[in-house]
Amino acid sequence: MKHAVILGLFVLTAIVLSIVQIVFGTLYTTAGLEISQIQTQKQAVDKENMLLSEKLYTLSSLTNIEASAKQLGFEDETSKSMLVVTQNSAFALKP
Amino acid sequence: MRWRYLAVFAFFVVLFFGIWTKLFYWQIIDASELSSMGESQYAEYLEIPPIRGDIKTSDNFPIVTNRISYLVYANPQKTKDITLESNTLSSLLHIDAASISAQLSLKDKVWVPLATSIDEATKEKIAALNLPDMGFQETPTRFYPEASMAAQLVGFVGKDALGNSKGYFGLEGYYDRQLRGRIGKTTVVHDAFGKPVLAKLTSNSGQQDGRTLVLHIDRVIQYALSKKLKEGIQEYGATSGMAAVMDPKTGAVLAMSSFPSFDPRDFWDYQTKDYINPFITDTYEPGSTFKPLVMSAAMDAGLVTPMSTCPICDKPVTVGDYQIHTWDNKYFPNTTMVDIMIHSDNTGMTYVAQKLGLNRMISYLTKFGIGQPTGIDLQGEFAPPLKPKSQWYPIDLATTGFGQGISVTPMELLDAFSAIANGGVRMEPHVVAEIETPDGQTIPIPPKQVDQPISATAAKLMTEILVDTTNKGEASFARLKGYRIAGKTGTASIPLNGHYDPTKTIASFIGFAPADNPKFIMVVILNKPTTSIYGAETAAPIWFSVAHDILNYYGITPTENDTSTFQQ
């Protein structure tokens, strides 16, 4: 009787572990596909990020800003004069 | 009967022993090779290339970064109409059709390159043609948003003998190991459909992206300096020119520019000499810009004061078989040290140099860093050593007093002069302020004091003399009124076959501002200007023009008092 109980427990344990392995194995099997999809999406986003960064840096470069300024009609500063407003001046003081 | 049992037993013992032996051989002795063979059947080894680090200016704008580009290749065995394809691709790739046609005609090949560094837009246009023989290989390339600005300072990225990316010259060369990162390797196990198996995925080992350099370089000052230097070289008809701006209190290099230069985007179209940064490699006789170093040394040694007079300055000075004249053949009896600097008097400087004497001259020059590399973090710095004491003649001592007969690089001169601006303390120049690691950590590079050639008192006195020199010297017409600027012109003769070229000079101006609390020191050097040979009429106007922009940029307003202590 005692041997039968022990044998039964072994069989039961083997069945339970087999079921667990089947369940988790099934879950992991499709994870590889998801990983592949996520990696593809990440690569696409990284690539788009690099392309946008390239555009941003080009537009915000001083070279481009100077060229755009000239097209808009801005000119190089030629005067070395400077207007300095001291604190004693009444200009733009609050009432 | 018994022997039959023993025989069978022995048979099984031998059999099991054989099995154990074989298992031992497979699992212990031959384990690694068999394991590799197994992995090669179901696993894929990938090399994960690192992304090279950026180079950013002080406002965190990347002047060097990476972009996606493509190598366009073709399989000639799948090409259907060579002529049609060549003509179509020629207009997109901007390569002549004959070159493309020649590649597509190689029918014994399965892979031929057609073009490199193709951008995303062009790649999409080619892909839209749906040509069955076309393919694209993504390759990162260096990208320069500010085009060729500071090209010789930055350097470029080429290939080494093994075809790996490698930095050459400038910052790319000096900091190549920091910038390039480390290649990683990973193992990916695929199932029957080619999808990665999670349970067998190993983490990548060793891959690390390159580190990013954050510079002291101020993009605005760099842009202004480059633009005005280029315009000045053209305006004054010089063959070349260079300039740099530095913070004398920390040694931080705020800008550096030289022309002619090169475009790092097409570095292969230029010669090696174009890659070299002349500011740290080219030597020249500095002329009058060297005089403040000698004068401040003599004041520091207590040999002269600003009001000391020169007893030999009423006529040319004879030294051995040579006669030393002033640049304009004007002589001022009993001239003071202040006036010697204002008039850039060679006879006066000969007097000061002779008073200093050879031992002290060599000692002070060494403390000023003359004859040694400054230690700036750029690849390729060179500094000609000072002559040994035994090789100095009396005429060498005399001419060194006014900056002839001695060779320095512009970087040596700028660093030495900065000691006058920094209370007598010389700092080590640095371009890089900090290094950023890929995981977000920052490694600062602190300022480094190298030496103190002169006392703070001597530095202060020399500063006042230089303010007077700027206000009353030959370059006073170009000075910025309302600012106390400490500066000196230089018009150096160029050695030619044992004598000096009478028609060509190296014109320069060096100075710092504001004199009381210097925010920057700058030197501008023009090589062989043709509109005028004088530094006061060529390099000085460029210097003051850039200085005006820098003072505006820093918000430093002019004051009513722009005179020196001696004028008050």
Side-chain angles (χ1 to χ4, degrees):
Chain A
M1 182 64 183
K2 190 177 170 183
H3 292 299
V5 169
I6 292 170
L7 189 61
L9 280 173
F10 272 126
V11 170
L12 187 64
T13 305
I15 292 170
V16 167
L17 288 175
S18 298
I19 292 170
V20 167
Q21 187 187 11
I22 291 168
V23 167
F24 281 101
T26 308
L27 287 174
Y28 278 131
T29 301
T30 56
L33 184 62
E34 285 176 25
I35 289 171
S36 181
Q37 288 173 343
I38 291 169
Q39 281 178 343
T40 305
Q41 286 173 3
K42 181 180 179 297
Q43 283 171 2
V45 169
D46 284 343
K47 185 172 163 181
E48 191 183 350
N49 195 27
M50 274 190 91
L51 292 170
L52 288 172
S53 296
E54 184 185 332
K55 274 188 191 165
L56 177 67
Y57 296 144
T58 303
L59 289 171
S60 56
S61 68
L62 293 176
T63 314
N64 182 66
I65 290 171
E66 189 186 22
S68 302
K70 279 195 174 130
Q71 283 180 353
L72 291 170
F74 286 89
E75 294 176 354
D76 284 338
E77 178 193 12
T78 51
S79 166
K80 289 191 183 141
S81 299
M82 190 189 302
L83 175 66
V84 178
V85 179
T86 64
Q87 286 182 338
N88 292 334
S89 171
F91 175 72
L93 286 176
K94 287 183 182 176
Chain B
M1 278 300 281
R2 189 180 165 84
W3 68 269
R4 287 192 181 90
Y5 291 124
L6 287 173
V8 171
F9 179 72
F11 171 74
F12 279 104
V13 166
V14 168
L15 185 66
F16 279 114
F17 183 73
I19 293 170
W20 289 332
T21 305
K22 200 62 182 174
L23 285 174
F24 179 83
Y25 175 78
W26 282 338
Q27 292 187 24
I28 306 296
I29 294 173
D30 218 16
S32 56
E33 186 183 338
L34 291 172
S35 178
S36 301
M37 282 173 63
E39 281 184 2
S40 68
Q41 290 175 353
Y42 62 83
E44 183 184 357
Y45 293 102
L46 295 176
E47 262 193 4
I48 306 176
I51 298 174
R52 194 172 175 90
D54 292 348
I55 299 178
K56 300 181 182 178
T57 48
S58 58
D59 59 346
N60 266 310
F61 182 89
I63 53 171
V64 185
T65 182
N66 302 294
R67 77 181 333 170
I68 295 173
S69 67
Y70 297 91
L71 164 76
V72 181
Y73 63 86
N75 182 351
Q77 294 182 2
K78 291 186 180 176
T79 306
K80 289 176 183 163
D81 189 334
I82 294 178
T83 308
L84 178 63
E85 240 179 77
S86 301
N87 292 332
T88 308
L89 291 172
S90 172
S91 59
L92 289 171
L93 297 174
H94 303 292
I95 302 172
D96 60 283
S99 299
I100 299 173
S101 177
Q103 290 287 86
L104 295 176
S105 301
L106 300 170
K107 290 296 182 185
D108 57 327
K109 307 267 185 208
V110 296
W111 188 98
V112 292
L114 296 181
T116 58
S117 301
I118 301 303
D119 61 22
E120 181 73 20
T122 307
K123 178 246 181 184
E124 291 300 324
K125 285 178 190 169
I126 297 172
L129 298 173
N130 287 320
L131 297 169
D133 56 337
M134 284 293 124
F136 307 96
Q137 183 178 323
E138 195 174 297
T139 56
T141 54
R142 276 318 224 180
F143 171 50
Y144 305 88
E146 293 286 6
S148 58
M149 184 172 82
Q152 286 158 336
L153 178 78
V154 166
F156 62 88
V157 176
K159 300 285 184 191
D160 63 13
L162 298 173
N164 300 318
S165 293
K166 185 177 162 133
Y168 293 90
F169 299 96
L171 292 167
E172 294 272 25
Y174 191 92
Y175 286 100
D176 183 53
R177 288 189 67 184
Q178 302 273 0
L179 288 165
R180 68 175 180 223
R182 203 161 54 219
I183 296 174
K185 291 183 181 162
T186 189
T187 308
V188 179
V189 176
H190 294 277
D191 62 15
F193 296 101
K195 306 298 178 194
V197 177
L198 175 64
K200 290 291 186 179
L201 201 66
T202 60
S203 59
N204 80 71
S205 64
Q207 194 271 352
Q208 202 169 53
D209 288 337
R211 293 176 169 182
T212 290
L213 307 180
V214 181
L215 311 182
H216 288 295
I217 298 289
D218 187 303
R219 194 160 57 112
V220 171
I221 297 177
Q222 176 69 40
Y223 192 82
L225 182 75
S226 295
K227 185 174 175 223
K228 301 235 164 142
L229 178 65
K230 193 173 180 183
E231 289 170 352
I233 291 169
Q234 206 165 1
E235 183 178 349
Y236 299 116
T239 57
S240 61
M242 50 190 142
V245 182
M246 193 169 85
D247 179 347
K249 294 177 185 169
T250 61
V253 177
L254 304 175
M256 187 181 285
S257 185
S258 57
F259 294 97
S261 182
F262 72 100
D263 191 336
R265 297 169 293 187
D266 308 312
F267 66 88
W268 50 87
D269 287 339
Y270 297 83
Q271 297 177 1
T272 306
K273 65 178 178 60
D274 298 320
Y275 307 145
I276 296 170
N277 185 349
F279 202 86
I280 61 170
T281 58
D282 282 10
T283 59
Y284 75 115
E285 294 187 14
S288 299
T289 52
F290 205 71
K291 289 173 180 168
L293 301 181
V294 178
M295 180 70 79
S296 61
M299 288 195 293
D300 183 71
L303 299 168
V304 295
T305 67
M307 291 300 140
S308 298
T309 56
C310 170
I312 62 170
C313 292
D314 55 336
K315 58 183 181 300
V317 174
T318 302
V319 180
D321 297 332
Y322 304 93
Q323 235 188 16
I324 294 171
H325 298 254
T326 58
W327 65 275
D328 54 0
N329 270 319
K330 289 181 183 171
Y331 300 90
F332 304 90
N334 296 315
T335 183
T336 64
M337 297 300 115
V338 178
D339 286 331
I340 284 172
M341 205 56 63
I342 291 173
H343 299 137
S344 205
D345 190 329
N346 291 346
T347 58
M349 288 312 303
T350 300
Y351 167 73
V352 173
Q354 288 174 336
K355 250 188 123 51
L356 199 56
L358 182 59
N359 288 335
R360 277 187 286 237
M361 175 68 86
I362 294 175
S363 174
Y364 272 104
L365 291 183
T366 303
K367 284 188 198 172
F368 271 117
I370 304 300
Q372 315 137 48
T374 62
I376 189 171
D377 49 346
L378 293 172
Q379 193 176 56
E381 190 189 14
F382 168 74
L386 284 175
K387 282 189 298 195
K389 188 178 158 187
S390 58
Q391 292 180 18
W392 285 71
Y393 293 95
I395 189 62
D396 296 319
L397 177 64
T399 58
T400 298
F402 50 89
Q404 301 277 185
I406 184 167
S407 289
V408 298
T409 64
M411 192 67 241
E412 277 181 277
L413 180 69
L414 185 68
D415 194 39
F417 211 95
S418 70
I420 299 173
N422 190 30
V425 174
R426 186 167 69 88
M427 305 297 289
E428 184 176 84
H430 262 276
V431 180
V432 176
E434 58 190 26
I435 298 176
E436 291 176 352
T437 63
D439 57 3
Q441 288 183 17
T442 302
I443 306 168
I445 298 177
K448 182 181 169 188
Q449 178 176 331
V450 182
D451 207 336
Q452 178 148 11
I454 56 177
S455 66
T457 305
K460 179 69 181 156
L461 288 172
M462 194 65 238
T463 298
E464 292 301 317
I465 293 174
L466 290 173
V467 171
D468 229 14
T469 305
T470 303
N471 290 349
K472 291 153 86 171
E474 306 93 58
S476 58
F477 74 95
R479 74 183 181 96
L480 301 176
K481 293 185 175 59
Y483 293 100
R484 278 168 42 88
I485 295 174
K488 185 72 189 75
T489 57
T491 303
S493 299
I494 302 173
L496 181 67
N497 298 328
H499 62 276
Y500 284 104
D501 191 327
T503 60
K504 296 187 177 59
T505 63
I506 294 178
S508 57
F509 189 91
I510 187 168
F512 53 88
D516 301 309
N517 184 17
K519 295 293 183 207
F520 68 91
I521 180 171
M522 172 170 46
V523 66
V524 174
I525 300 168
L526 295 183
N527 191 14
K528 300 174 191 170
T530 52
T531 57
S532 165
I533 62 169
Y534 298 109
E537 294 171 4
T538 54
I542 300 173
W543 193 101
F544 286 113
S545 179
V546 178
H548 174 249
D549 288 348
I550 297 175
L551 291 164
N552 268 352
Y553 176 58
Y554 280 152
I556 299 171
T557 54
T559 61
E560 289 176 0
N561 175 25
D562 61 358
T563 57
S564 77
T565 307
F566 307 113
Q567 290 171 290
Q568 292 166 13

